[in-house]
Amino acid sequence: MRRAAVCLTGHLRTAILDPVHLFIEPLQHSVLRAFSNSGYEVDVFAVTDAGEDCERTRVVLEPLNLKALQCIAAVEEDPVQRQHEEQWLQHGAKTIWNRAAFLGQLKKVQACDLLMSATGERYDLVARSRLDVRWHQFPADVSKLEVPGIIWLALRSTEYANSYMSDLFAIGGHLEMKPYMHVYDELLDRGNW
């Protein structure tokens, strides 16, 4: 049996109004079912902010039988890392998004990869999605997305000229996804701006 990991990061946002119909069922029916029908055993991971978001997310995601949930502080606790974040927020390359929110999302993506790595499992495919994406359809044969050297990204037509990656959704082999999952570290490296 092939193995896949689905990493969910961020906030539920409007899905919190009706999480079963706006998030859980669409994810189960469109994404997780496609993995299962394609012969994959799936582990689901999630990372959100600490505090009230954490408890709300844990309750909402209960039907997904999460392998792990991590809730991280919005403000970096490590003083050296916090300084790197503050330097990027003030002087880093420009982005059209709210800089602090964008950095926080990338931090959650990296934390999710560390959760997956901690299991010791070897995943054939890794999918990463924001928690506020509402799924309508997904490729029926997920194995066709398992192409060496390729990461598949969702892209809105208004984002084609952006200087940063799309943070909506990505899927690829575990090795191929490592650079995507660790953009946070690359962003904070002053040598990259």
Side-chain angles (χ1 to χ4, degrees), residues 97-122:
W97 298 296
N98 172 298
R99 296 171 70 73
F102 183 65
L103 187 62
Q105 182 68 277
L106 297 178
K107 184 180 197 174
K108 291 174 188 76
V109 171
Q110 183 164 304
C112 202
D113 185 63
L114 297 175
L115 283 179
M116 289 185 295
S117 295
T119 67
E121 297 288 347
R122 163 69 174 88

Side-chain angles (χ1 to χ4, degrees), residues 46-51 53-55 69-73:
V47 179
T48 192
D49 286 336
D53 268 355
C54 181
E55 180 58 20
L69 168 66
Q70 182 177 359
C71 301
I72 61 176

